[in-house]
Amino acid sequence: MRPLLKISLAAGMAASAAFALAAPKDYVSGEVLVKFKPVARDAGKKVAVSDGYKVESGVPVLGIDKLRLPKGMSVELAMKELRTLPWVEFVEPNYIYHATFTPNDTSFGSQWGPKKIQSEQAWDINKGDPTVVIAIIDTGISSTHPDLASKRVAGWNFVSNNNNPNDDNGHGSHCAGIAAAITNNATGVAGVGFNCSLMPVKVLNSGGSGTLQNVANGINWAADNGANVLSLSLGGSGATSMQQAVDYAWSKNCVVVAAAGNNGSTSMFYPAAYTNCIAVAATTTSDTRASFSNYGSNWVDVAAPGVNIYSTYMGSQYATLDGTSMACPHVSGLAGLLFSAKGKATPNSTVRSLIEQNCDSVGTFVAFGRINAYKSLLAAGGGNTVYANPQGYVMYSGSQVSGNYTNLKSSDNSYLVLASQNNKVDWFGPMYPASGSGTITNVTFTFEGSATVAGTATVQAYNYLAGGWETLGNINLTTSDQTWTFPISTNPHRFRDPFGEMDMRVSYQASSSFQLKNDWMQVAVTRQ
Protein backbone atom coordinates (compact mmCIF):
# COMPACT_ATOMS: atom_id res chain seq x y z
CA MET A 1 0.00 0.00 0.00
CA ARG A 2 1.30 3.49 -0.81
CA PRO A 3 2.19 5.40 2.38
CA LEU A 4 -0.23 8.10 3.46
CA LEU A 5 1.04 11.63 3.87
CA LYS A 6 0.62 12.62 7.49
CA ILE A 7 0.79 16.24 8.58
CA SER A 8 1.33 17.13 12.21
CA LEU A 9 -1.03 19.68 13.75
CA ALA A 10 1.13 20.59 16.74
CA ALA A 11 2.09 24.27 16.62
CA GLY A 12 5.78 24.89 16.94
CA MET A 13 6.97 21.48 15.69
CA ALA A 14 9.98 21.37 13.43
CA ALA A 15 9.27 21.33 9.71
CA SER A 16 10.95 17.96 9.30
CA ALA A 17 8.40 16.43 11.66
CA ALA A 18 5.53 18.21 9.99
CA PHE A 19 6.37 16.70 6.61
CA ALA A 20 6.96 13.19 7.90
CA LEU A 21 5.31 10.23 6.19
CA ALA A 22 3.02 8.14 8.33
CA ALA A 23 3.60 4.52 9.05
CA PRO A 24 2.43 2.29 6.17
CA LYS A 25 -0.60 1.03 8.14
CA ASP A 26 -2.37 4.39 8.42
CA TYR A 27 -5.86 2.95 8.61
CA VAL A 28 -8.20 1.56 11.22
CA SER A 29 -7.34 -1.98 12.25
CA GLY A 30 -10.03 -4.62 12.58
CA GLU A 31 -12.36 -3.26 9.90
CA VAL A 32 -12.70 -2.65 6.16
CA LEU A 33 -15.13 -0.82 3.90
CA VAL A 34 -16.84 -2.96 1.27
CA LYS A 35 -19.36 -2.31 -1.46
CA PHE A 36 -21.39 -5.32 -2.52
CA LYS A 37 -22.79 -5.36 -6.03
CA PRO A 38 -26.36 -4.02 -5.83
CA VAL A 39 -28.00 -7.20 -7.15
CA ALA A 40 -26.20 -9.31 -4.56
CA ARG A 41 -25.89 -6.98 -1.60
CA ASP A 42 -28.22 -8.85 0.77
CA ALA A 43 -26.74 -12.23 -0.19
CA GLY A 44 -23.21 -10.89 0.20
CA LYS A 45 -23.95 -9.52 3.66
CA LYS A 46 -25.40 -12.89 4.74
CA VAL A 47 -22.30 -14.74 3.53
CA ALA A 48 -20.07 -12.21 5.30
CA VAL A 49 -21.93 -12.75 8.58
CA SER A 50 -21.70 -16.53 8.18
CA ASP A 51 -17.93 -16.17 7.70
CA GLY A 52 -17.58 -14.30 10.99
CA TYR A 53 -17.69 -10.69 9.81
CA LYS A 54 -19.95 -8.17 11.53
CA VAL A 55 -21.78 -5.89 9.07
CA GLU A 56 -22.24 -2.27 10.17
CA SER A 57 -23.27 0.97 8.54
CA GLY A 58 -20.48 2.47 6.47
CA VAL A 59 -21.31 5.17 3.95
CA PRO A 60 -25.06 4.61 3.46
CA VAL A 61 -25.60 7.17 0.71
CA LEU A 62 -23.14 5.27 -1.50
CA GLY A 63 -24.28 1.77 -0.48
CA ILE A 64 -20.98 1.05 1.29
CA ASP A 65 -20.89 -1.17 4.38
CA LYS A 66 -18.30 -1.47 7.12
CA LEU A 67 -17.22 -4.99 8.06
CA ARG A 68 -15.78 -5.73 11.51
CA LEU A 69 -13.23 -8.49 11.02
CA PRO A 70 -13.21 -11.81 12.87
CA LYS A 71 -10.88 -11.76 15.85
CA GLY A 72 -7.26 -12.15 14.83
CA MET A 73 -7.83 -11.42 11.12
CA SER A 74 -5.67 -8.71 9.58
CA VAL A 75 -6.96 -6.04 7.23
CA GLU A 76 -4.64 -7.37 4.51
CA LEU A 77 -5.98 -10.91 4.80
CA ALA A 78 -9.60 -9.73 4.84
CA MET A 79 -9.09 -7.67 1.70
CA LYS A 80 -7.40 -10.57 -0.07
CA GLU A 81 -10.29 -12.87 0.84
CA LEU A 82 -13.11 -10.45 0.05
CA ARG A 83 -11.70 -9.37 -3.31
CA THR A 84 -12.07 -12.93 -4.61
CA LEU A 85 -15.83 -12.98 -4.00
CA PRO A 86 -17.99 -12.40 -7.10
CA TRP A 87 -20.56 -10.24 -5.26
CA VAL A 88 -18.00 -7.70 -4.01
CA GLU A 89 -17.62 -4.54 -6.13
CA PHE A 90 -14.65 -3.24 -4.11
CA VAL A 91 -13.06 -3.48 -0.68
CA GLU A 92 -10.54 -1.11 0.91
CA PRO A 93 -9.11 -0.15 4.30
CA ASN A 94 -10.84 2.50 6.36
CA TYR A 95 -7.99 4.95 5.78
CA ILE A 96 -7.11 7.75 8.19
CA TYR A 97 -7.11 11.27 6.68
CA HIS A 98 -5.28 14.25 8.10
CA ALA A 99 -5.55 18.00 8.00
CA THR A 100 -3.00 19.53 5.66
CA PHE A 101 -1.66 22.70 7.21
CA THR A 102 1.91 23.17 8.44
CA PRO A 103 1.80 25.59 11.37
CA ASN A 104 4.75 27.89 12.09
CA ASP A 105 3.58 29.93 15.07
CA THR A 106 0.49 31.47 16.63
CA SER A 107 1.53 35.13 16.40
CA PHE A 108 -0.88 37.59 14.94
CA GLY A 109 -0.21 38.94 11.47
CA SER A 110 -1.82 40.83 8.65
CA GLN A 111 -4.12 39.47 5.99
CA TRP A 112 -2.36 39.63 2.65
CA GLY A 113 -4.28 36.78 0.99
CA PRO A 114 -7.60 38.52 0.24
CA LYS A 115 -5.72 41.57 -1.08
CA LYS A 116 -3.54 39.44 -3.36
CA ILE A 117 -6.53 37.84 -5.05
CA GLN A 118 -8.25 41.26 -5.32
CA SER A 119 -11.13 40.44 -3.00
CA GLU A 120 -11.75 44.10 -2.21
CA GLN A 121 -12.49 44.87 -5.86
CA ALA A 122 -14.56 41.68 -6.12
CA TRP A 123 -16.67 42.79 -3.12
CA ASP A 124 -17.53 45.97 -5.01
CA ILE A 125 -19.27 43.66 -7.48
CA ASN A 126 -20.80 41.16 -5.07
CA LYS A 127 -20.61 40.73 -1.30
CA GLY A 128 -22.04 37.25 -1.14
CA ASP A 129 -25.41 35.78 -0.29
CA PRO A 130 -26.15 34.35 3.21
CA THR A 131 -28.16 31.56 1.60
CA VAL A 132 -25.02 30.33 -0.19
CA VAL A 133 -23.43 27.79 2.16
CA ILE A 134 -19.76 26.83 2.34
CA ALA A 135 -19.23 23.54 4.18
CA ILE A 136 -15.96 23.35 6.11
CA ILE A 137 -15.34 19.59 6.28
CA ASP A 138 -12.65 19.53 8.92
CA THR A 139 -12.20 19.64 12.72
CA GLY A 140 -15.34 21.71 13.23
CA ILE A 141 -15.90 25.46 13.62
CA SER A 142 -15.74 27.39 16.89
CA SER A 143 -19.24 28.07 18.19
CA THR A 144 -18.12 31.04 20.33
CA HIS A 145 -15.74 32.95 18.07
CA PRO A 146 -17.01 36.53 17.52
CA ASP A 147 -15.92 36.39 13.89
CA LEU A 148 -17.61 33.04 13.16
CA ALA A 149 -20.48 32.17 15.49
CA SER A 150 -23.28 34.04 13.72
CA LYS A 151 -22.18 32.72 10.31
CA ARG A 152 -22.72 29.06 11.23
CA VAL A 153 -25.67 27.06 9.94
CA ALA A 154 -26.58 23.63 11.26
CA GLY A 155 -23.84 21.04 10.87
CA TRP A 156 -22.90 17.57 12.12
CA ASN A 157 -20.14 15.89 14.13
CA PHE A 158 -19.20 12.54 12.57
CA VAL A 159 -16.47 11.94 15.14
CA SER A 160 -18.92 11.85 18.07
CA ASN A 161 -22.05 11.28 15.94
CA ASN A 162 -23.98 14.25 17.28
CA ASN A 163 -25.10 17.72 16.23
CA ASN A 164 -22.30 19.57 18.05
CA PRO A 165 -19.55 20.17 15.46
CA ASN A 166 -17.54 22.52 17.67
CA ASP A 167 -13.83 22.82 16.91
CA ASP A 168 -11.45 21.17 19.41
CA ASN A 169 -8.32 21.64 17.29
CA GLY A 170 -8.32 25.06 15.61
CA HIS A 171 -7.67 23.95 12.05
CA GLY A 172 -11.31 24.01 10.95
CA SER A 173 -11.93 27.43 12.51
CA HIS A 174 -8.84 28.83 10.77
CA CYS A 175 -10.09 27.56 7.41
CA ALA A 176 -13.60 28.84 8.11
CA GLY A 177 -12.33 32.36 8.77
CA ILE A 178 -10.45 32.45 5.49
CA ALA A 179 -13.53 31.29 3.59
CA ALA A 180 -16.18 33.50 5.19
CA ALA A 181 -15.44 35.15 8.53
CA ILE A 182 -17.84 37.94 9.44
CA THR A 183 -16.69 40.87 7.32
CA ASN A 184 -16.98 44.62 7.78
CA ASN A 185 -17.77 44.23 11.51
CA ALA A 186 -14.75 46.15 12.89
CA THR A 187 -13.54 42.89 14.45
CA GLY A 188 -10.75 40.49 13.55
CA VAL A 189 -10.47 39.36 9.96
CA ALA A 190 -12.37 39.45 6.67
CA GLY A 191 -13.48 36.30 4.84
CA VAL A 192 -13.31 35.98 1.07
CA GLY A 193 -16.95 34.82 0.91
CA PHE A 194 -18.05 37.92 2.86
CA ASN A 195 -21.80 37.31 3.51
CA CYS A 196 -21.83 33.58 2.64
CA SER A 197 -22.72 31.17 5.46
CA LEU A 198 -20.56 28.46 7.00
CA MET A 199 -21.57 24.83 7.63
CA PRO A 200 -19.41 23.00 10.21
CA VAL A 201 -18.97 19.32 9.34
CA LYS A 202 -16.62 17.71 11.83
CA VAL A 203 -14.84 14.64 10.41
CA LEU A 204 -11.41 15.08 12.03
CA ASN A 205 -10.71 14.59 15.74
CA SER A 206 -8.85 16.87 18.15
CA GLY A 207 -5.56 15.55 16.76
CA GLY A 208 -6.53 16.48 13.21
CA SER A 209 -7.12 12.96 11.89
CA GLY A 210 -10.23 11.16 10.71
CA THR A 211 -11.33 7.98 8.98
CA LEU A 212 -12.21 7.54 5.34
CA GLN A 213 -15.68 6.53 6.50
CA ASN A 214 -16.24 9.79 8.38
CA VAL A 215 -14.85 12.01 5.62
CA ALA A 216 -16.98 10.31 2.96
CA ASN A 217 -20.08 10.55 5.13
CA GLY A 218 -19.29 14.20 5.84
CA ILE A 219 -19.09 14.98 2.13
CA ASN A 220 -22.39 13.22 1.47
CA TRP A 221 -24.10 14.91 4.43
CA ALA A 222 -23.01 18.38 3.36
CA ALA A 223 -24.17 17.77 -0.21
CA ASP A 224 -27.56 16.52 1.03
CA ASN A 225 -28.09 19.34 3.53
CA GLY A 226 -27.81 22.48 1.47
CA ALA A 227 -24.09 23.12 1.02
CA ASN A 228 -23.14 24.74 -2.28
CA VAL A 229 -19.37 24.62 -1.76
CA LEU A 230 -17.40 21.87 0.01
CA SER A 231 -14.02 22.94 1.41
CA LEU A 232 -11.67 20.02 2.19
CA SER A 233 -8.37 21.07 3.74
CA LEU A 234 -7.44 17.44 4.37
CA GLY A 235 -6.26 14.42 2.46
CA GLY A 236 -4.25 11.25 2.10
CA SER A 237 -4.41 8.07 0.07
CA GLY A 238 -6.71 7.51 -2.88
CA ALA A 239 -9.79 5.42 -2.11
CA THR A 240 -12.82 4.42 -4.15
CA SER A 241 -15.19 5.43 -1.34
CA MET A 242 -13.69 8.91 -1.31
CA GLN A 243 -13.93 9.27 -5.08
CA GLN A 244 -17.56 8.15 -5.09
CA ALA A 245 -18.37 10.65 -2.31
CA VAL A 246 -16.76 13.48 -4.31
CA ASP A 247 -18.63 12.40 -7.44
CA TYR A 248 -21.88 12.29 -5.46
CA ALA A 249 -21.36 15.86 -4.23
CA TRP A 250 -20.59 16.98 -7.78
CA SER A 251 -23.81 15.33 -8.98
CA LYS A 252 -25.67 17.45 -6.38
CA ASN A 253 -24.24 20.62 -8.04
CA CYS A 254 -21.67 21.25 -5.31
CA VAL A 255 -18.27 22.77 -6.07
CA VAL A 256 -15.69 20.62 -4.27
CA VAL A 257 -12.38 22.31 -3.35
CA ALA A 258 -9.47 20.40 -1.79
CA ALA A 259 -5.93 21.08 -0.60
CA ALA A 260 -3.15 19.66 -2.80
CA GLY A 261 -1.05 18.57 0.19
CA ASN A 262 2.16 19.72 1.87
CA ASN A 263 4.80 17.20 0.84
CA GLY A 264 6.55 19.55 -1.62
CA SER A 265 6.29 16.97 -4.40
CA THR A 266 4.37 16.07 -7.54
CA SER A 267 2.82 13.02 -5.85
CA MET A 268 -0.95 13.03 -6.13
CA PHE A 269 -2.88 13.76 -2.96
CA TYR A 270 -6.53 12.80 -2.45
CA PRO A 271 -9.31 13.87 -2.68
CA ALA A 272 -7.70 16.87 -4.43
CA ALA A 273 -6.48 14.79 -7.38
CA TYR A 274 -9.94 13.51 -8.28
CA THR A 275 -11.47 14.92 -11.46
CA ASN A 276 -14.44 16.50 -9.68
CA CYS A 277 -12.27 18.40 -7.17
CA ILE A 278 -10.51 21.72 -7.64
CA ALA A 279 -7.00 20.94 -6.38
CA VAL A 280 -5.32 23.94 -4.73
CA ALA A 281 -1.58 24.62 -4.29
CA ALA A 282 -0.16 27.28 -1.95
CA THR A 283 1.67 30.45 -2.98
CA THR A 284 3.74 33.11 -1.21
CA THR A 285 3.33 36.90 -1.17
CA SER A 286 5.49 37.05 -4.31
CA ASP A 287 3.35 34.51 -6.19
CA THR A 288 5.96 31.76 -6.04
CA ARG A 289 5.10 28.22 -5.02
CA ALA A 290 5.33 27.66 -1.27
CA SER A 291 8.21 25.25 -0.68
CA PHE A 292 5.96 22.76 1.13
CA SER A 293 3.17 22.77 -1.47
CA ASN A 294 2.52 19.82 -3.75
CA TYR A 295 2.38 20.79 -7.40
CA GLY A 296 1.96 19.53 -10.97
CA SER A 297 0.04 21.03 -13.86
CA ASN A 298 -1.27 17.57 -14.72
CA TRP A 299 -3.38 17.41 -11.54
CA VAL A 300 -3.18 20.62 -9.47
CA ASP A 301 -5.66 23.11 -10.90
CA VAL A 302 -5.10 26.47 -9.20
CA ALA A 303 -3.03 28.17 -6.53
CA ALA A 304 -3.98 30.55 -3.71
CA PRO A 305 -2.23 32.29 -0.79
CA GLY A 306 -1.00 29.76 1.75
CA VAL A 307 1.94 31.25 3.70
CA ASN A 308 1.63 33.39 6.86
CA ILE A 309 -2.16 33.40 6.66
CA TYR A 310 -3.84 35.18 9.55
CA SER A 311 -7.31 33.92 10.47
CA THR A 312 -9.68 32.84 13.22
CA TYR A 313 -8.72 30.02 15.55
CA MET A 314 -10.05 28.07 18.57
CA GLY A 315 -12.36 29.81 21.00
CA SER A 316 -12.00 33.52 20.30
CA GLN A 317 -8.37 33.38 19.19
CA TYR A 318 -6.60 34.31 15.94
CA ALA A 319 -3.48 32.68 14.54
CA THR A 320 -1.05 32.79 11.63
CA LEU A 321 -0.59 29.44 9.84
CA ASP A 322 0.90 28.01 6.65
CA GLY A 323 -0.32 25.28 4.31
CA THR A 324 -2.35 24.24 1.33
CA SER A 325 -5.09 24.00 3.96
CA MET A 326 -5.03 27.79 4.08
CA ALA A 327 -4.98 28.10 0.28
CA CYS A 328 -8.03 25.87 -0.16
CA PRO A 329 -10.61 28.08 1.64
CA HIS A 330 -9.55 31.14 -0.38
CA VAL A 331 -10.88 29.24 -3.40
CA SER A 332 -13.95 28.04 -1.49
CA GLY A 333 -14.82 31.62 -0.53
CA LEU A 334 -14.52 32.69 -4.16
CA ALA A 335 -16.80 29.83 -5.24
CA GLY A 336 -19.34 31.12 -2.70
CA LEU A 337 -19.16 34.64 -4.18
CA LEU A 338 -19.70 33.25 -7.68
CA PHE A 339 -22.76 31.23 -6.65
CA SER A 340 -24.03 34.42 -5.00
CA ALA A 341 -23.51 36.46 -8.16
CA LYS A 342 -24.85 33.89 -10.62
CA GLY A 343 -27.49 32.19 -8.49
CA LYS A 344 -27.39 28.88 -6.63
CA ALA A 345 -28.89 27.05 -9.59
CA THR A 346 -25.82 27.92 -11.66
CA PRO A 347 -24.09 24.70 -12.82
CA ASN A 348 -21.06 23.88 -10.69
CA SER A 349 -19.08 23.44 -13.90
CA THR A 350 -19.74 27.12 -14.69
CA VAL A 351 -18.51 28.25 -11.28
CA ARG A 352 -15.42 26.08 -11.60
CA SER A 353 -14.69 27.45 -15.07
CA LEU A 354 -15.05 31.05 -13.85
CA ILE A 355 -12.45 30.34 -11.17
CA GLU A 356 -9.99 28.50 -13.40
CA GLN A 357 -10.25 30.66 -16.52
CA ASN A 358 -9.67 33.97 -14.71
CA CYS A 359 -6.45 33.27 -12.82
CA ASP A 360 -3.24 35.29 -12.77
CA SER A 361 -0.24 33.49 -14.21
CA VAL A 362 2.27 32.19 -11.67
CA GLY A 363 4.19 29.59 -13.66
CA THR A 364 3.74 26.01 -14.70
CA PHE A 365 3.42 24.34 -11.31
CA VAL A 366 -0.40 24.48 -11.59
CA ALA A 367 -2.69 24.14 -14.58
CA PHE A 368 -4.37 27.56 -14.54
CA GLY A 369 -2.65 29.98 -12.17
CA ARG A 370 -3.33 31.83 -8.91
CA ILE A 371 -6.98 32.74 -8.41
CA ASN A 372 -8.20 36.31 -8.93
CA ALA A 373 -11.58 37.01 -7.33
CA TYR A 374 -12.10 40.33 -9.12
CA LYS A 375 -11.50 38.88 -12.59
CA SER A 376 -13.78 35.93 -11.82
CA LEU A 377 -16.62 38.19 -10.64
CA LEU A 378 -16.20 40.47 -13.65
CA ALA A 379 -16.40 37.45 -15.94
CA ALA A 380 -19.53 36.32 -14.10
CA GLY A 381 -21.18 39.52 -15.31
CA GLY A 382 -22.31 40.65 -11.87
CA GLY A 383 -22.87 44.19 -10.68
CA ASN A 384 -23.64 45.19 -7.10
CA THR A 385 -26.28 42.73 -5.96
CA VAL A 386 -28.51 42.98 -2.91
CA TYR A 387 -30.71 40.16 -1.65
CA ALA A 388 -33.98 40.32 0.23
CA ASN A 389 -36.33 37.80 1.81
CA PRO A 390 -40.00 38.30 2.71
CA GLN A 391 -40.72 40.73 5.52
CA GLY A 392 -44.17 39.26 6.06
CA TYR A 393 -46.91 37.64 4.01
CA VAL A 394 -50.55 38.11 3.06
CA MET A 395 -53.00 35.25 2.45
CA TYR A 396 -55.66 35.40 -0.24
CA SER A 397 -56.62 31.74 0.04
CA GLY A 398 -55.44 29.08 2.48
CA SER A 399 -54.42 28.93 6.15
CA GLN A 400 -51.19 28.74 8.14
CA VAL A 401 -50.18 25.38 9.59
CA SER A 402 -46.72 26.13 10.97
CA GLY A 403 -43.74 28.43 10.55
CA ASN A 404 -43.73 32.05 9.46
CA TYR A 405 -42.04 34.31 6.93
CA THR A 406 -38.66 34.04 8.74
CA ASN A 407 -38.57 30.38 7.67
CA LEU A 408 -38.22 31.57 4.06
CA LYS A 409 -34.84 33.23 4.53
CA SER A 410 -32.72 30.34 3.23
CA SER A 411 -32.78 26.89 1.68
CA ASP A 412 -32.51 25.04 4.99
CA ASN A 413 -35.51 22.65 5.22
CA SER A 414 -37.18 25.10 7.60
CA TYR A 415 -40.67 25.63 6.21
CA LEU A 416 -43.63 27.94 6.21
CA VAL A 417 -46.44 25.39 5.80
CA LEU A 418 -49.79 26.53 4.38
CA ALA A 419 -52.95 24.42 4.10
CA SER A 420 -55.20 24.64 1.04
CA GLN A 421 -58.67 26.14 0.96
CA ASN A 422 -60.87 24.69 -1.78
CA ASN A 423 -57.77 22.88 -3.08
CA LYS A 424 -55.89 26.16 -3.47
CA VAL A 425 -53.28 28.34 -1.74
CA ASP A 426 -52.76 31.92 -2.87
CA TRP A 427 -50.39 34.24 -1.01
CA PHE A 428 -47.62 36.79 -1.42
CA GLY A 429 -44.63 38.03 0.54
CA PRO A 430 -43.35 41.64 0.35
CA MET A 431 -39.58 42.02 0.12
CA TYR A 432 -37.48 45.16 0.61
CA PRO A 433 -34.14 45.25 -1.23
CA ALA A 434 -31.78 47.87 0.19
CA SER A 435 -31.51 51.09 -1.76
CA GLY A 436 -28.43 51.54 -3.90
CA SER A 437 -26.91 53.69 -6.57
CA GLY A 438 -26.67 52.74 -10.21
CA THR A 439 -29.06 51.38 -12.79
CA ILE A 440 -30.94 48.15 -12.03
CA THR A 441 -29.71 45.67 -14.64
CA ASN A 442 -31.26 42.46 -13.39
CA VAL A 443 -33.87 41.21 -10.95
CA THR A 444 -34.01 37.51 -10.04
CA PHE A 445 -36.91 36.00 -8.14
CA THR A 446 -36.32 32.64 -6.45
CA PHE A 447 -38.83 30.18 -4.99
CA GLU A 448 -38.20 26.78 -3.43
CA GLY A 449 -40.79 24.40 -2.11
CA SER A 450 -42.86 21.25 -2.36
CA ALA A 451 -46.41 20.07 -1.74
CA THR A 452 -48.07 17.01 -0.29
CA VAL A 453 -50.08 16.70 -3.52
CA ALA A 454 -48.47 17.32 -6.90
CA GLY A 455 -49.85 20.21 -8.89
CA THR A 456 -49.12 23.44 -10.72
CA ALA A 457 -48.11 26.75 -9.16
CA THR A 458 -48.07 30.16 -10.79
CA VAL A 459 -45.35 32.58 -9.67
CA GLN A 460 -45.99 36.29 -10.11
CA ALA A 461 -44.33 39.61 -9.26
CA TYR A 462 -46.07 42.94 -8.91
CA ASN A 463 -45.45 45.29 -11.87
CA TYR A 464 -45.54 48.79 -10.40
CA LEU A 465 -45.48 50.47 -13.82
CA ALA A 466 -48.50 48.54 -15.08
CA GLY A 467 -50.20 48.44 -11.68
CA GLY A 468 -50.88 44.70 -11.52
CA TRP A 469 -49.46 41.21 -11.05
CA GLU A 470 -47.22 39.91 -13.83
CA THR A 471 -46.77 36.14 -14.29
CA LEU A 472 -43.15 35.00 -14.22
CA GLY A 473 -43.91 31.36 -14.96
CA ASN A 474 -45.72 28.18 -14.02
CA ILE A 475 -43.95 25.46 -12.05
CA ASN A 476 -44.81 21.84 -11.34
CA LEU A 477 -44.48 21.12 -7.65
CA THR A 478 -43.84 17.60 -6.36
CA THR A 479 -43.49 16.10 -2.89
CA SER A 480 -39.74 16.84 -2.92
CA ASP A 481 -38.23 20.32 -2.71
CA GLN A 482 -37.27 21.96 -5.98
CA THR A 483 -35.88 25.42 -6.70
CA TRP A 484 -36.91 27.79 -9.48
CA THR A 485 -35.30 31.07 -10.46
CA PHE A 486 -36.83 33.76 -12.65
CA PRO A 487 -34.18 36.22 -13.91
CA ILE A 488 -35.45 39.41 -15.56
CA SER A 489 -33.05 41.71 -17.42
CA THR A 490 -35.52 43.63 -19.62
CA ASN A 491 -36.93 46.67 -17.76
CA PRO A 492 -36.38 45.00 -14.35
CA HIS A 493 -37.04 48.29 -12.52
CA ARG A 494 -40.77 47.81 -13.16
CA PHE A 495 -40.95 45.45 -10.18
CA ARG A 496 -39.59 47.92 -7.61
CA ASP A 497 -41.64 50.73 -6.09
CA PRO A 498 -40.10 54.09 -5.00
CA PHE A 499 -39.66 52.78 -1.47
CA GLY A 500 -37.75 49.67 -2.55
CA GLU A 501 -40.56 47.15 -2.08
CA MET A 502 -40.92 44.13 -4.36
CA ASP A 503 -43.75 41.63 -4.05
CA MET A 504 -43.67 37.96 -5.05
CA ARG A 505 -46.88 35.94 -5.22
CA VAL A 506 -47.42 32.17 -5.39
CA SER A 507 -50.74 30.59 -6.37
CA TYR A 508 -50.99 26.82 -6.16
CA GLN A 509 -53.82 24.59 -7.37
CA ALA A 510 -54.07 20.81 -6.94
CA SER A 511 -56.67 18.08 -7.49
CA SER A 512 -57.34 17.61 -3.77
CA SER A 513 -56.61 19.26 -0.43
CA PHE A 514 -52.90 19.63 0.31
CA GLN A 515 -50.23 21.41 2.29
CA LEU A 516 -47.77 23.74 0.56
CA LYS A 517 -44.28 23.64 2.11
CA ASN A 518 -42.39 26.86 1.35
CA ASP A 519 -38.67 26.57 2.05
CA TRP A 520 -37.14 29.69 0.48
CA MET A 521 -38.23 32.88 -1.24
CA GLN A 522 -35.87 35.64 -2.34
CA VAL A 523 -35.35 38.52 -4.73
CA ALA A 524 -31.91 39.64 -5.92
CA VAL A 525 -31.43 43.10 -7.42
CA THR A 526 -28.27 43.77 -9.44
CA ARG A 527 -27.10 47.29 -10.24
CA GLN A 528 -24.37 48.54 -12.50
Side-chain angles (χ1 to χ4, degrees):
M1 183 181 91
R2 185 170 68 82
L4 171 65
L5 180 66
K6 184 176 184 178
I7 305 302
S8 168
L9 296 183
M13 290 187 67
S16 59
F19 294 132
L21 290 177
K25 293 184 179 180
D26 204 357
Y27 49 77
V28 182
S29 61
E31 61 188 48
V32 294
L33 297 182
V34 62
K35 185 171 186 178
F36 296 106
K37 294 177 181 177
V39 295
R41 187 179 183 192
D42 291 340
K45 290 165 71 171
K46 288 180 181 178
V47 172
V49 170
S50 68
D51 286 345
Y53 294 93
K54 183 180 180 181
V55 181
E56 299 179 354
S57 177
V59 188
V61 171
L62 303 178
I64 297 171
D65 297 297
K66 180 166 69 176
L67 299 188
R68 296 282 185 185
L69 309 187
K71 187 175 181 180
M73 178 178 282
S74 68
V75 169
E76 291 82 0
L77 179 59
M79 289 177 59
K80 185 176 181 180
E81 176 181 287
L82 291 166
R83 280 172 176 164
T84 64
L85 303 179
W87 49 80
V88 170
E89 185 172 317
F90 68 82
V91 59
E92 56 196 6
N94 195 5
Y95 289 115
I96 305 295
Y97 286 78
H98 305 273
T100 56
F101 83 96
T102 308
N104 51 15
D105 57 58
T106 56
S107 64
F108 288 2
S110 61
Q111 278 187 280
W112 66 271
K115 297 181 178 68
K116 191 71 174 181
I117 67 172
Q118 293 193 277
S119 293
E120 294 161 295
Q121 294 90 334
W123 294 333
D124 285 338
I125 299 174
N126 191 285
K127 290 183 172 64
D129 177 357
T131 69
V132 172
V133 177
I134 302 170
I136 305 297
I137 301 174
D138 210 288
T139 62
I141 300 177
S142 171
S143 61
T144 59
H145 201 292
D147 241 359
L148 295 173
S150 67
K151 297 295 288 289
R152 296 188 359 158
V153 299
W156 193 258
N157 183 335
F158 284 91
V159 176
S160 302
N161 195 30
N162 60 39
N163 63 355
N164 179 24
N166 195 38
D167 191 1
D168 53 7
N169 174 278
H171 185 263
S173 296
H174 199 271
C175 295
I178 297 167
I182 303 172
T183 302
N184 199 34
N185 65 337
T187 301
V189 298
V192 175
F194 209 107
N195 286 325
C196 295
S197 296
L198 293 164
M199 175 186 285
V201 182
K202 183 173 175 60
V203 299
L204 305 180
N205 60 24
S206 59
S209 298
T211 65
L212 166 61
Q213 178 188 358
N214 283 348
V215 177
N217 277 321
I219 292 171
N220 296 334
W221 190 91
D224 283 340
N225 284 274
N228 306 103
V229 182
L230 276 56
S231 191
L232 292 146
S233 291
L234 51 79
S237 294
T240 305
S241 302
M242 180 70 79
Q243 182 172 6
Q244 290 191 359
V246 167
D247 291 345
Y248 178 78
W250 182 263
S251 75
K252 302 284 282 188
N253 204 45
C254 298
V255 169
V256 186
V257 186
N262 298 342
N263 206 33
S265 76
T266 58
S267 297
M268 289 187 178
F269 192 70
Y270 298 91
Y274 291 128
T275 301
N276 286 328
C277 272
I278 301 176
V280 187
T283 49
T284 66
T285 55
S286 58
D287 267 343
T288 58
R289 178 179 65 86
S291 60
F292 55 78
S293 178
N294 287 354
Y295 60 98
S297 60
N298 62 319
W299 71 279
V300 183
D301 302 295
V302 300
V307 177
N308 293 329
I309 303 300
Y310 181 50
S311 184
T312 48
Y313 203 60
M314 287 183 67
S316 300
Q317 301 176 70
Y318 295 84
T320 302
L321 303 175
D322 294 342
T324 55
S325 275
M326 284 64 254
C328 173
H330 281 85
V331 181
S332 302
L334 173 54
L337 286 181
L338 289 167
F339 270 123
S340 300
K342 299 287 287 182
K344 295 194 297 184
T346 302
N348 50 7
S349 57
T350 298
V351 172
R352 179 172 184 166
S353 179
L354 285 166
I355 293 170
E356 294 176 342
Q357 298 301 323
N358 294 285
C359 288
D360 290 336
S361 178
V362 291
T364 59
F365 62 91
V366 294
F368 295 99
R370 191 254 305 134
I371 63 167
N372 185 307
Y374 179 51
K375 290 181 180 178
S376 294
L377 266 294
L378 279 179
N384 280 314
T385 303
V386 293
Y387 302 88
N389 303 103
Q391 304 300 305
Y393 70 94
V394 177
M395 296 287 295
Y396 294 125
S397 176
S399 61
Q400 179 180 346
V401 176
S402 62
N404 55 57
Y405 67 92
T406 61
N407 297 101
L408 303 173
K409 65 183 181 180
S410 63
S411 174
D412 59 0
N413 297 321
S414 177
Y415 299 98
L416 165 63
V417 181
L418 305 175
S420 62
Q421 179 182 354
N422 298 323
N423 300 342
K424 185 177 183 180
V425 166
D426 191 0
W427 71 286
F428 82 93
M431 294 168 276
Y432 302 88
S435 299
S437 59
T439 303
I440 296 177
T441 58
N442 190 80
V443 170
T444 300
F445 291 92
T446 299
F447 175 77
E448 179 176 311
S450 59
T452 55
V453 177
T456 301
T458 299
V459 178
Q460 298 176 311
Y462 195 82
N463 184 331
Y464 283 92
L465 294 183
W469 290 101
E470 179 178 322
T471 298
L472 303 179
N474 294 314
I475 57 180
N476 294 320
L477 286 175
T478 66
T479 55
S480 299
D481 275 359
Q482 297 181 68
T483 305
W484 293 266
T485 58
F486 304 93
I488 296 105
S489 57
T490 303
N491 299 326
H493 59 278
R494 68 186 185 273
F495 296 113
R496 186 177 186 272
D497 78 0
F499 303 101
E501 180 175 330
M502 292 189 173
D503 296 327
M504 183 175 173
R505 177 176 175 176
V506 179
S507 301
Y508 185 62
Q509 184 82 44
S511 58
S512 59
S513 60
F514 63 88
Q515 289 186 351
L516 178 64
K517 299 175 65 178
N518 305 277
D519 191 9
W520 180 37
M521 183 182 280
Q522 184 190 74
V523 63
V525 178
T526 301
R527 295 175 178 273
Q528 195 170 54

